[in-house]
Amino acid sequence: MFRVLFLMLVLLIGLIAGPYLSGKQGYVLIETGSYSIEMSITMLVVFFVVAMALVYGIEWVVSRFFRFSNNTYTWFSRRKRMKAQKQTLEGLMRMNEGDYSKAEKLIGKNAKHSEEPVLNFIKAAEAAQQRGDDFSANRYLSEATELAGPDSLIVELARTRILLQQNKLPAARSSVDSLLVMAHRNKEVLKLAVEIYMKSTAYVALDKILDQIEKVGLYSNEEFTSLQRQVEQGLLDEKMNEEGVDGLLAWWNEQPRKRRNDLGLKITLIQRLIDCNDHESAYELTTQVFKASENQLPLTKVLCSQIIRLQPEDNTKLIKLLEKRLNKSEDNRCCIYRALGYLYVRNNDFNQAAYAFKQMLAQHSEFDANDVNMSAYVFEQIGEDALAKQVREENIKTVMQVNSLTTDIPKLEEKITP
């Protein structure tokens, strides 16, 4: 519009100034090489206007042509994008239905024309992995990496998950290590790291990220405590199996004070020491834990289950602690009597052992076959054969009742089932 106005303005000026300059047209000479052009000033103005109009006309034709090409390209691009979006949605539906082969084709076919091509390639890789095609899954991931770059968190997360599904634990472990360097506070990365480290029994690596897992609130308090206990037990087993008792105790002494003051973990350590036949070290820890667990009834019960396995050279101190606890509290008396009974037997004090077992049996609490055999053996040692026989018979009746109940359960289910 501005150009048309400009041309009209120039032409108007020429028309107004033309008559004025009719008698004073002047002279213009344009000479180039062997050519020379002569014209008046009025003709020069007219020539200039025509030349400008011609240039503007050519420019308009060219711009219209390219605009038409651009519109055509935009139309085709929009059509491909809409088609890709439609196929992606259909592919996701097929994936949820379990038709992974069709989902892979739909999602991956026009992935480059979708709004988020990287996500399409990742979903196509997951679909290919679900149907067991590792080659196609890796190919889709490679294309996603080319688009997103080598440091894309979402692509590396998908790659690590697929490696885990392929059961390639060493590769998955290496991949998740890189992810932790890239985004150590990301919840998905930490969750994936827990799963991979647990499957590969990499308890040392998992122990290093426990604090970060707790900070980000990945699990509830109960779930985190359970995970922490699994890791600590795994560390104890690892040290015990690889380095024996000395390595286990050396590792324990190097742990932070918070861990060394954990009574539940100390009981787990006592169990491992007994398994390694180091009863003296286990005995020292047992006395410490028993003193500290006076007001923690569940821990006392668990600890007593390990005391019956102890075989130290001198258990006098522990017996005194157990007897003192009996006089102080009415709780956990059954498990304390049970522990005392075993300790007395190892001291060949059968009279005291018989009294402890009688008290245990009087509590009518649950006891296993070892307790029955041990108490019957003690009663026989002090000449109470009838009582020993009665204990064995009652245990047999209890076992038969349990077996009968277990046998009747399927019959009861058959009656209930219509």
Side-chain angles (χ1 to χ4, degrees):
M1 186 67 182
F2 173 77
R3 295 171 184 175
V4 175
L5 290 174
F6 175 72
L7 290 175
M8 291 178 66
L9 181 62
V10 171
L11 186 59
L12 180 62
I13 293 172
L15 292 174
I16 294 174
Y20 175 75
L21 297 173
S22 59
K24 305 174 182 179
Q25 294 186 8
Y27 175 75
V28 176
L29 174 64
I30 302 174
E31 186 174 357
T32 58
S34 59
Y35 294 97
S36 60
I37 302 173
E38 298 180 2
M39 66 179 69
S40 64
I41 294 177
T42 303
M43 288 303 296
L44 177 65
V45 171
V46 173
F47 177 77
F48 176 75
V49 171
V50 172
M52 290 294 293
L54 182 62
V55 170
Y56 287 156
I58 294 172
E59 181 188 5
W60 179 83
V61 171
V62 172
S63 63
R64 290 291 295 179
F65 173 77
F66 282 109
R67 188 179 302 169
F68 174 77
S69 300
N70 183 59
N71 290 339
T72 303
Y73 175 78
T74 302
W75 183 83
F76 280 108
S77 298
R78 190 186 306 115
R79 182 176 179 273
K80 289 181 179 179
R81 190 161 54 249
M82 292 177 65
K83 184 179 179 181
Q85 184 177 2
K86 181 179 178 181
Q87 289 181 336
T88 299
L89 293 174
E90 186 179 353
L92 291 174
M93 291 175 63
R94 291 298 182 92
M95 197 167 180
N96 290 333
E97 293 171 359
D99 189 356
Y100 298 110
S101 179
K102 187 67 175 178
E104 178 193 345
K105 292 179 182 178
L106 289 169
I107 296 174
K109 187 175 181 180
N110 290 309
K112 290 185 178 180
H113 301 292
S114 64
E115 294 183 359
E116 295 292 342
V118 174
L119 295 180
N120 274 57
F121 282 126
I122 289 174
K123 283 297 180 182
E126 291 176 356
Q129 177 56 39
Q130 287 293 334
R131 65 182 185 84
D133 189 350
D134 294 352
F135 177 79
S136 296
N138 293 332
R139 178 169 59 83
Y140 286 125
L141 285 175
S142 298
E143 294 186 43
T145 303
E146 290 178 3
L147 290 174
D151 296 328
S152 174
L153 180 61
I154 188 171
V155 176
E156 293 306 314
L157 272 171
R159 188 191 309 280
T160 307
R161 288 195 186 97
I162 288 176
L163 287 171
L164 180 60
Q165 292 172 0
Q166 293 172 348
N167 205 29
K168 297 177 180 178
L169 287 179
R173 166 76 188 279
S174 177
S175 181
V176 82
D177 288 342
S178 301
L179 280 173
L180 286 170
V181 174
M182 188 187 304
H184 65 280
R185 295 182 180 179
N186 186 281
K187 288 188 177 182
E188 288 299 319
V189 173
L190 290 171
K191 196 172 184 179
L192 195 56
V194 170
E195 186 176 358
I196 292 173
Y197 288 155
M198 288 297 289
K199 283 192 174 182
S200 57
T201 63
Y203 296 111
V204 175
L206 186 51
D207 185 46
K208 292 178 181 179
I209 63 173
L210 278 179
D211 290 339
Q212 190 62 46
I213 292 172
E214 186 178 16
K215 287 179 183 177
V216 300
L218 185 61
Y219 300 107
S220 64
N221 292 334
E222 294 77 11
E223 291 173 336
F224 178 77
T225 301
S226 176
L227 174 64
Q228 185 178 30
R229 190 64 67 206
Q230 282 182 277
V231 173
E232 291 169 342
Q233 290 179 357
L235 288 170
L236 290 173
D237 288 332
E238 188 176 279
K239 290 298 177 181
M240 180 182 70
N241 295 331
E242 293 180 359
E243 303 178 25
V245 176
D246 294 336
L248 179 61
L249 291 174
W251 173 84
W252 176 257
N253 292 328
E254 293 172 356
Q255 296 308 296
R257 181 178 297 178
K258 181 181 178 181
R259 176 168 286 176
R260 286 188 285 111
N261 289 338
D262 188 336
L263 298 181
L265 186 58
K266 278 187 175 182
I267 294 175
T268 306
L269 177 60
I270 291 169
Q271 179 184 353
R272 300 303 190 277
L273 291 173
I274 296 174
D275 293 338
C276 292
N277 216 25
D278 186 1
H279 292 274
E280 298 305 322
S281 299
Y283 179 76
E284 291 299 324
L285 271 175
T286 301
T287 55
Q288 296 175 17
V289 174
F290 194 80
K291 291 177 182 178
S293 63
E294 182 175 356
N295 297 322
Q296 302 185 40
L297 303 181
L299 284 178
T300 301
K301 187 174 182 179
V302 176
L303 181 60
C304 286
S305 66
Q306 298 303 319
I307 290 176
I308 65 174
R309 301 173 61 209
L310 273 176
Q311 300 179 25
E313 293 183 1
D314 183 10
N315 56 21
T316 305
K317 183 178 180 181
L318 184 56
I319 289 176
K320 290 181 179 179
L321 288 173
L322 289 167
E323 291 175 342
K324 186 177 180 181
R325 182 70 59 84
L326 279 175
N327 296 328
K328 279 187 175 182
S329 174
E330 295 292 329
D331 299 314
N332 283 329
R333 296 178 69 87
C334 179
C335 67
I336 294 176
Y337 275 122
R338 181 177 180 231
L340 280 171
Y342 279 85
L343 292 176
Y344 285 134
V345 169
R346 293 193 172 94
N347 291 344
N348 292 322
D349 191 349
F350 293 107
N351 289 321
Q352 291 287 356
Y355 174 78
F357 281 121
K358 288 177 182 178
Q359 295 297 320
M360 181 194 74
L361 295 173
Q363 301 290 327
H364 298 291
S365 299
E366 296 181 2
F367 48 91
D368 55 28
N370 291 330
D371 298 335
V372 173
N373 293 332
M374 182 63 76
S375 59
Y377 168 74
V378 169
F379 296 150
E380 289 173 348
Q381 294 299 313
I382 63 172
E384 296 187 13
D385 296 335
L387 182 56
K389 183 179 179 181
Q390 180 184 351
V391 169
R392 288 195 175 97
E393 289 177 351
E394 289 182 357
N395 180 61
I396 292 173
K397 290 179 182 179
T398 303
V399 172
M400 291 180 65
Q401 289 176 357
V402 172
N403 291 338
S404 176
L405 180 60
T406 306
T407 306
D408 290 340
I409 288 175
K411 296 180 180 179
L412 183 59
E413 290 178 345
E414 290 177 2
K415 292 181 180 179
I416 294 174
T417 304

